[in-house]
Amino acid sequence: MERGDFKGGQLAKPTIALLADYLDMTMEEASAMRDQHAELTAALPTYPQGLFRGRGIVILAGGKYSEIAATTLGMIRLLGSRLPIEVWMIDRVEEKEGWCDDLFAQGIACRFVSNYLQDMSAFSHHYQLKIAAILCSSFAEVLFLDGDSMPVVNPDKIFEAPAYLKTGAVLWPDYWKATESPYTGYITGRSPEKDTQLPDFQTVDSGQMLWNKEKQWKALCLSGYYNYFGPTYWYTLFTQGGSGWGDKDTFPTALRALGAEWTMIPHHLQTQRYDDGTGHGKGSGMAMMQADPADMKEFKPLFLHSNFIKFSVRRLMCDTCIEDPSALKAEQRLQGKEVKFKGSVANHKSPIWESLTFGKRIFSTKVKNGLNDMGKLDTEKDMWRVMTKVGCEGVFSDDKICRRASKHLERTFGEMSKWEGGAERICS
């Protein structure tokens, strides 16, 4: 189906001619897809009353993503959230041994997609699991978070945001303009003919999403269809070799196809950069800050989506770590094979090696609208509190990592770890 040649997988300056030439598709083929799509949307199910209840957080984890999600879970509770949480994985193979028992003791539920879907053969990418977790979760209203997208303030009031109460769907912008095929609007029923103008809307960062399932049930079901067949068709139609191939644009496309009312956060995301020693930041950035939907006029950080540096204490603080068996099985590598990786502290090429080695802050501190631009907010310190705890107790604990994280917390932020000096006893 593909015939284009977009270097580096990105379209810095797309033209309508370039977008139109990427897919080898005829108008007849597009019309056939349009007819099938119309039949599907006409048959979308109604909301199942009484099946779901309450508000809660759904987090996607599993395999190597679990130790990253552990930081996000710790941040949610550290910041005072009392919302119920479900952690979703593909199946038991993806579970770090004993982790679900740890989570259960904290009042957090483990859920496995394979327990809800009979046929998992079409799920070849982790992207596809987001919509499955949202649809199958027990909550009627869902704050969905990727394992690497964490709140920086208590998120509990997000369900009271006026924009959410009005529309029942809130999405956040990504960096790029859409690069969808000119056939997309025609196929999905949004346009009466093939588009002749460039898309004028942003792509979506689906690392955090807010959904009222009753209000937006049909859009979620249509997104489920797009994701189920995403790797073989829809992902490429929606991005065409541009950045962000995957689930992210299935959600706004479904909403537009149905003519649903929804909310796109009007604030462009802010880039969290590395500290260059002056606090002003350097480089192309390490994470994306997303705004609180409660304030549509002023950017106030609510989420930090770590799209580059993954904040797992093992990924940061070990010399040479052995990859957990759950991660190897989840990625379909040879079982029993020992795979090792270096943490950032042992990798001189890492952009945060100096910070970890010499006890310096990672985040820049003088960025407008940044994480340290909100009075008492100190997200980086909070993250190290959480990561130190993760490294010192529970299934991800390790003696050396515990000591290193405790030392970093003390010399960088002036806070003594309660595990300092007792790591051998607490960390195994």
Side-chain angles (χ1 to χ4, degrees):
M1 183 170 68
E2 300 174 26
R3 69 181 183 191
D5 182 20
F6 295 160
K7 294 181 179 179
Q10 295 192 20
L11 291 169
K13 296 181 179 179
T15 64
I16 190 64
L18 191 60
L19 294 184
D21 194 49
Y22 186 74
L23 297 181
D24 188 6
M25 179 182 290
T26 66
M27 194 63 184
E28 290 73 19
E29 291 169 334
S31 294
M33 282 302 302
R34 177 184 172 91
D35 292 342
Q36 292 178 23
H37 191 278
E39 290 181 15
L40 174 75
T41 55
L44 288 171
T46 57
Y47 179 73
Q49 293 290 342
L51 185 59
F52 310 109
R53 64 172 58 187
R55 296 168 168 174
I57 299 174
V58 169
I59 293 181
L60 194 59
K64 66 183 180 182
Y65 302 106
S66 293
E67 58 193 63
I68 302 167
T71 304
T72 296
L73 289 165
M75 285 290 288
I76 291 170
R77 290 302 185 230
L78 179 69
L79 294 169
S81 173
R82 300 179 64 85
L83 287 169
I85 302 173
E86 293 177 356
V87 174
W88 283 79
M89 292 170 266
I90 296 176
D91 51 30
R92 287 277 181 188
V93 171
E94 279 206 317
E95 181 197 355
K96 165 73 173 177
E97 186 176 357
W99 192 40
C100 284
D101 291 337
D102 278 4
L103 294 177
F104 182 78
Q106 301 171 46
I108 297 172
C110 273
R111 299 280 188 261
F112 302 98
V113 175
S114 60
N115 289 344
Y116 295 80
L117 301 180
Q118 292 182 343
D119 183 7
M120 295 291 295
S121 60
F123 287 78
S124 57
H125 292 269
H126 225 253
Y127 302 125
Q128 298 168 277
L129 298 175
K130 294 184 185 182
I131 186 61
I134 293 169
L135 287 170
C136 296
S137 72
S138 67
F139 307 126
E141 298 180 67
V142 174
L143 170 58
F144 172 85
L145 295 175
D146 269 344
D148 60 1
S149 184
M150 66 186 72
V152 299
V153 295
N154 189 329
D156 286 7
K157 293 182 179 179
I158 195 171
F159 289 101
E160 301 302 327
Y164 167 72
L165 293 174
K166 180 182 179 183
T167 67
V170 178
L171 302 177
W172 280 259
D174 209 328
Y175 286 106
W176 309 284
K177 286 281 189 180
T179 58
E180 68 176 20
S181 166
Y183 284 112
T184 300
Y186 178 71
I187 290 172
T188 60
R190 189 181 75 226
S191 305
E193 56 189 18
K194 178 182 176 182
D195 290 334
T196 58
Q197 301 294 324
L198 285 172
D200 62 354
F201 45 83
Q202 290 291 120
T203 56
V204 163
D205 168 20
S206 60
Q208 53 287 308
M209 296 183 284
L210 192 60
W211 292 97
N212 181 312
K213 288 158 83 167
E214 182 172 10
K215 283 187 176 182
Q216 299 290 358
W217 183 248
K218 290 190 176 183
L220 287 168
C221 290
L222 183 55
S223 177
Y225 165 71
Y226 292 153
N227 277 279
Y228 190 84
F229 295 103
T232 57
Y233 188 84
W234 296 103
Y235 292 169
T236 301
L237 185 75
F238 297 158
T239 58
Q240 299 200 108
S243 295
W245 186 92
D247 67 282
K248 52 202 242 68
D249 290 310
T250 65
F251 300 100
T253 302
L255 290 159
R256 293 187 186 104
L258 297 175
E261 187 179 10
W262 58 287
T263 301
M264 172 72 106
I265 296 295
H267 308 294
H268 195 272
L269 65 93
Q270 302 288 327
T271 299
Q272 181 62 52
R273 302 186 186 279
Y274 305 98
D275 194 344
D276 62 357
T278 69
H280 289 287
K282 64 180 179 181
S284 58
M286 60 189 297
M288 302 183 290
M289 290 179 292
Q290 296 286 10
D292 189 337
D295 195 328
M296 290 295 183
K297 295 182 178 180
E298 182 181 354
F299 184 104
K300 294 181 179 178
L302 179 57
F303 300 110
L304 180 73
H305 189 184
S306 304
N307 59 324
F308 188 63
I309 297 294
K310 303 300 184 183
F311 290 98
S312 148
V313 70
R314 287 208 321 145
R315 304 281 159 180
L316 297 185
M317 300 304 270
C318 73
D319 287 319
T320 302
C321 278
I322 298 174
E323 190 69 84
D324 189 80
S326 65
L328 302 182
K329 292 175 184 176
E331 295 181 14
Q332 298 182 335
R333 303 184 196 178
L334 292 176
Q335 296 186 23
K337 180 180 179 181
E338 187 174 272
V339 177
K340 298 180 179 180
F341 65 88
K342 282 188 175 182
S344 298
V345 73
N347 180 7
H348 287 226
K349 294 182 179 180
S350 169
I352 62 173
W353 172 82
E354 184 177 348
S355 296
L356 297 176
T357 302
F358 300 105
K360 299 179 180 180
R361 281 183 176 268
I362 298 173
F363 295 166
S364 58
T365 57
K366 297 181 180 178
V367 177
K368 184 180 179 181
N369 295 326
L371 293 176
N372 298 292
D373 194 27
M374 294 178 62
K376 297 180 180 180
L377 182 66
D378 192 341
T379 297
E380 186 175 353
K381 183 177 180 179
D382 288 341
M383 287 170 57
W384 279 102
R385 287 170 172 163
V386 169
M387 287 192 291
T388 300
K389 181 178 180 180
V390 171
C392 292
E393 66 178 26
V395 297
F396 299 108
S397 64
D398 175 88
D399 178 58
K400 183 178 288 187
I401 292 173
C402 175
R403 288 184 175 278
R404 282 182 172 170
S406 297
K407 183 178 180 181
H408 186 80
L409 182 64
E410 179 183 357
R411 65 178 178 173
T412 307
F413 304 99
E415 182 169 310
M416 288 289 293
S417 163
K418 73 176 184 179
W419 294 281
E420 185 66 25
E424 293 98 335
R425 180 177 59 82
I426 295 175
C427 302
S428 57

